[in-house]
Amino acid sequence: MPSSLAESDASQTLNASALTQLRSDIIACRLMPNERLRVEALRERYGMGASPIREALMRLEAEGLVELEQNKGFRVSEVSRENLLDLMNTRIEIESIALRWSLEKGGVEWEANLLSAFHRLSRQSKIDPANTAAISEAWSKEHADFHTALVSACGAPTLLSIRSRLFEQAERYVALSIMSSSPLRDDVTEHKQLMRAALNRDVDKTLDLNRMHITRTLDKVAVALEASKAHVDPRMMNRKTLK
Amino acid sequence: MPSSLAESDASQTLNASALTQLRSDIIACRLMPNERLRVEALRERYGMGASPIREALMRLEAEGLVELEQNKGFRVSEVSRENLLDLMNTRIEIESIALRWSLEKGGVEWEANLLSAFHRLSRQSKIDPANTAAISEAWSKEHADFHTALVSACGAPTLLSIRSRLFEQAERYVALSIMSSSPLRDDVTEHKQLMRAALNRDVDKTLDLNRMHITRTLDKVAVALEASKAHVDPRMMNRKTLK
DNA sequence: ATCAAATAAATTTTCGGCAATCGATTGACG
DNA sequence: CGTCAATCGATTGCCGAAAATTTATTTGAT
């Protein structure tokens, strides 16, 4: 059974389709961290040849979602406490810059857009009726859109693209933490405060709130990650015991 | 004639070799901005099949050095004044964070490494005896190493990888500016000051110097870019004149 | 039994060729 | 004369199979 809801629309290259689906599957942890990505398996999963898949994997390697080892193939990037901390700390700083610039430059258009994004987010249920063990895909979309709207007026495309890459990586950790423990926190309030501060052009407050928003996620994910570490390490231990 | 000095060493995947050579050729502007990258031509240039080349190109697209348009193939990323400004502004902020953390955390090891990198850089001639229209490749290497040494203790791999990606993109603009006008500035002094401030753990001064270092490059490149804009736009104008 | 070399299986990586697509040119028609 | 449709060449994108490499298994010597 094909995995992703995002069915490849018409007139896209298989390459692009593979890229979208793979990225989506990795971020949602339908392909688990450290899982080996055998081309034959993916070939079957997505119903296409090896070339578009390898190309997509190379692309994802640059994005940091996939790792490649010479002649040993691809695997989904490993997760770890250190990587999580690294990622979140970096993300906080990057978003801070983007937010600062966005608050400086944002006009009416930006304000309207932000309000609109918040409204859509607040009306979207976080829980997925179909799959209670996962966050609603629609909510994820609106959530991402809201945070994008916050920084969208920053005027530095390079910075924005870096930001969204980090955001995606963080989403993977969140997906992971949902799978183990899911006391879904209510973050409508958080988002509202964030928006208010931004609209008031209160840079310090916005940055603080954003930092707290990220930190709170980080803590939750870190706990879940530590808990799931109790599971067996997937390294094979098939060497026969000595004497 | 194969282009890059960096001959693909033994036992590397063709894929990896293509990646290295392509990146090097693009950064050095041996493949010019906006130039179309036909696979057949690259196939011949690097002496390999289409697959490893396409894979490398996809990788480079994620890095921002190459652009892909559906069914129309790849081209080297466009350069522009806006992109240059965007790039440099982003780079300043990112390096500022990395520097701050590096100065906080750097130990003796880091200091030693930095001194060593500076020494190597200061003893390396900037001009290439073989090709006076280009910067010595050895110098570029030492220069990159020096700046990497400055931030190396920052402790955030994610941030460092972002930094080096931006650094590479900037190198391309520098290469471009060298080709048109080359009043090579003496930057040994600048680098020395930068190192001194860093070793003294003077965060503000280090950040300022770094900002100025980048800005100075930016200005020089911006002028050269504007000048070269007088050249004909490589867009074909083969439509017959009307009436 | 232990270890190492040798073989076999599995998987990655690469190639050559074919189908789909785009851009330009040509020719028919209003 | 200009517009639109059909055609052709060039180029991309894709597949299936071959080559190279790693991993697992067997064999043989000590």
Side-chain angles (χ1 to χ4, degrees):
Chain A
M1 186 189 307
S3 55
S4 170
L5 290 186
E7 280 303 314
S8 57
D9 4 353
S11 76
Q12 252 199 139
T13 52
L14 287 185
N15 185 345
S17 163
L19 183 59
T20 312
Q21 294 187 66
L22 267 169
R23 183 162 35 216
S24 163
D25 282 348
I26 291 174
I27 291 176
C29 291
R30 288 185 289 268
L31 294 170
M32 291 293 282
N34 209 35
E35 180 174 344
R36 260 195 92 180
L37 296 171
R38 271 173 269 254
V39 279
E40 182 53 32
L42 298 177
R43 242 184 57 77
E44 189 168 346
R45 178 175 186 136
Y46 299 122
M48 59 183 73
S51 319
I53 287 177
R54 278 187 59 91
E55 287 168 21
L57 286 171
M58 285 297 288
R59 181 78 165 65
L60 291 170
E61 201 221 346
E63 291 184 22
L65 291 173
V66 156
E67 280 160 15
L68 167 62
E69 205 175 350
Q70 291 270 12
N71 289 322
K72 292 197 193 171
F74 299 88
R75 35 182 69 235
V76 179
S77 286
E78 182 70 282
V79 293
S80 69
R81 189 179 167 77
E82 305 95 64
N83 178 249
L84 175 63
L85 260 62
D86 172 25
L87 178 62
M88 291 308 205
N89 284 331
T90 302
R91 200 182 142 210
I92 287 174
E93 297 299 326
I94 304 263
E95 294 215 337
S96 293
I97 303 164
L99 276 172
R100 180 175 294 123
W101 289 351
S102 198
L103 296 207
E104 279 173 15
K105 297 179 191 166
V108 190
E109 182 95 13
W110 168 75
E111 293 174 351
N113 216 321
L114 181 54
L115 280 161
S116 150
F118 172 76
H119 185 71
R120 285 196 304 273
L121 173 59
S122 66
R123 294 306 174 90
Q124 177 65 54
S125 164
K126 193 169 182 177
I127 206 148
D128 190 338
N131 181 358
T132 60
I135 283 189
S136 148
E137 204 156 316
W139 186 88
S140 281
K141 168 81 165 54
E142 302 297 354
H143 183 238
D145 282 354
F146 173 77
H147 282 279
T148 302
L150 275 170
V151 294
S152 64
C154 107
T158 300
L159 190 65
L160 286 184
S161 101
I162 292 170
R163 191 207 69 95
S164 45
R165 202 166 288 180
L166 297 180
F167 189 88
E168 278 180 357
Q169 298 213 26
E171 274 191 300
R172 187 167 71 113
Y173 275 98
V174 171
L176 205 58
S177 85
I178 299 297
M179 292 174 59
S180 57
S181 68
S182 58
L184 294 182
R185 83 168 189 268
D186 162 54
D187 30 23
V188 171
T189 324
E190 279 182 43
H191 287 128
K192 188 171 220 162
Q193 288 178 312
L194 200 43
M195 177 182 67
R196 285 265 167 75
L199 290 176
N200 289 336
R201 314 291 168 145
D202 187 336
V203 175
D204 290 341
K205 185 166 185 183
T206 308
L207 262 52
D208 272 357
L209 286 172
N210 194 248
R211 179 186 303 267
M212 283 164 53
H213 188 67
I214 293 178
T215 306
R216 215 160 305 171
T217 306
L218 164 61
D219 289 341
K220 196 161 157 284
V221 174
V223 170
L225 192 65
E226 216 59 36
S228 76
K229 216 174 199 170
H231 295 193
V232 255
D233 201 324
R235 302 188 205 294
M236 344 234 159
M237 21 182 50
N238 54 2
R239 292 184 184 277
K240 287 158 188 160
T241 51
L242 298 173
K243 178 84 58 121
Chain B
M1 185 190 305
S3 54
S4 170
L5 289 186
E7 281 303 313
S8 57
D9 6 350
S11 76
Q12 247 200 143
T13 271
L14 284 187
N15 185 346
S17 163
L19 183 59
T20 312
Q21 294 187 67
L22 267 168
R23 182 160 37 214
S24 162
D25 282 349
I26 291 174
I27 291 176
C29 291
R30 288 185 289 268
L31 293 171
M32 291 293 281
N34 210 34
E35 181 174 342
R36 256 195 96 180
L37 296 171
R38 270 172 267 253
V39 279
E40 182 53 33
L42 297 177
R43 241 184 57 75
E44 190 167 345
R45 179 176 184 133
Y46 301 121
M48 60 183 73
S51 318
I53 288 177
R54 279 187 60 91
E55 287 167 20
L57 286 171
M58 284 297 288
R59 180 77 164 66
L60 290 171
E61 201 222 345
E63 290 184 22
L65 291 174
V66 156
E67 279 160 16
L68 167 62
E69 205 174 350
Q70 291 269 12
N71 289 320
K72 292 196 197 171
F74 298 89
R75 34 182 69 234
V76 179
S77 285
E78 183 70 282
V79 293
S80 69
R81 189 179 167 77
E82 305 95 64
N83 178 248
L84 175 63
L85 260 62
D86 172 24
L87 178 61
M88 292 307 204
N89 284 330
T90 302
R91 198 182 144 211
I92 287 173
E93 297 300 325
I94 303 263
E95 294 215 336
S96 292
I97 303 163
L99 276 171
R100 180 175 295 121
W101 289 351
S102 197
L103 296 207
E104 278 173 16
K105 298 179 190 164
V108 191
E109 182 95 12
W110 168 75
E111 293 174 351
N113 216 323
L114 180 55
L115 280 161
S116 150
F118 173 75
H119 185 70
R120 284 197 304 274
L121 173 59
S122 66
R123 293 308 174 89
Q124 176 66 53
S125 165
K126 193 169 182 177
I127 204 149
D128 189 338
N131 181 357
T132 60
I135 283 189
S136 149
E137 203 156 316
W139 186 88
S140 282
K141 168 82 164 56
E142 301 297 355
H143 184 237
D145 282 355
F146 173 76
H147 281 279
T148 302
L150 274 169
V151 295
S152 65
C154 108
T158 300
L159 189 65
L160 286 184
S161 100
I162 292 170
R163 191 207 69 94
S164 45
R165 203 167 286 180
L166 297 180
F167 189 88
E168 278 180 356
Q169 298 212 25
E171 273 190 301
R172 188 167 71 115
Y173 275 98
V174 171
L176 205 59
S177 85
I178 299 297
M179 292 175 59
S180 56
S181 68
S182 58
L184 294 181
R185 84 166 190 270
D186 163 54
D187 31 23
V188 170
T189 324
E190 279 182 45
H191 287 130
K192 189 171 219 161
Q193 289 178 312
L194 199 44
M195 178 183 66
R196 285 263 167 76
L199 291 176
N200 289 337
R201 314 290 168 143
D202 188 336
V203 175
D204 290 341
K205 185 165 186 183
T206 307
L207 263 51
D208 272 357
L209 287 172
N210 194 249
R211 180 185 303 266
M212 283 164 54
H213 188 66
I214 293 178
T215 306
R216 216 162 303 171
T217 306
L218 164 62
D219 289 342
K220 195 158 158 285
V221 174
V223 170
L225 193 65
E226 218 58 36
S228 74
K229 217 173 199 171
H231 295 192
V232 254
D233 200 324
R235 302 188 204 296
M236 343 234 157
M237 21 181 52
N238 54 3
R239 291 184 184 277
K240 287 159 188 159
T241 51
L242 299 173
K243 177 91 58 129

